[in-house]
Amino acid sequence: YGLNKNTGALIWKVSSGILNFAGPEVVGDAVYFASHDKIYCIDALTGKLRSTIKTTYLNHVVYAKDYLWTNERGLTKRSLDGKVLGSVEFNSSPDFRPFFYKDIFILGGDTSKLLGVSQDLKILWKVTGGEAFWSPGVVKNNVYYTGNRDNKVYAIQLPQS
């Protein structure tokens, strides 16, 4: 959906034909969102579908450092036209939206792992929780705070950059 920021009036809406789990990323005059096995690129002003990019299963697309990043089978770096530029493979959680902070992506693994990945697609660190990390946390004073399905909150000191 595209809404008028002043009135809340609907400007446009576009159907993906399938349930959408994640929020969009706005890059210039384009809106990107991921849904299951596609990334959609929509004109932000008109709602016209510009392109559909075929992917493996994913729920999230993140824009950072002039690229699109997806959590399909790990972390994948894509150009704005969707071309795969590189990836690092690990069992990533499709439900965990990649979190970008100071040149590091933080992603949930499929079981009980939380991983830090560099922009050059190298795994920098791993933290193991009691169960799955399902949603991204927040950063304050270079500490990443997040919850886990084990009923605990984790505080993780991030590397200095």
Side-chain angles (χ1 to χ4, degrees), residues 68-110:
L68 299 176
W69 303 82
T70 59
N71 61 334
E72 51 191 308
R73 294 187 307 227
L75 182 64
T76 301
K77 180 181 182 179
R78 294 174 174 270
S79 61
L80 293 181
D81 65 2
K83 180 181 175 192
V84 173
L85 302 174
S87 65
V88 59
E89 290 195 18
F90 56 89
N91 291 327
S92 59
S93 169
D95 299 319
F96 190 103
R97 180 180 173 88
F99 182 85
F100 184 71
Y101 176 75
K102 286 190 176 180
D103 300 330
I104 295 175
F105 287 92
I106 300 171
L107 296 97
D110 69 346

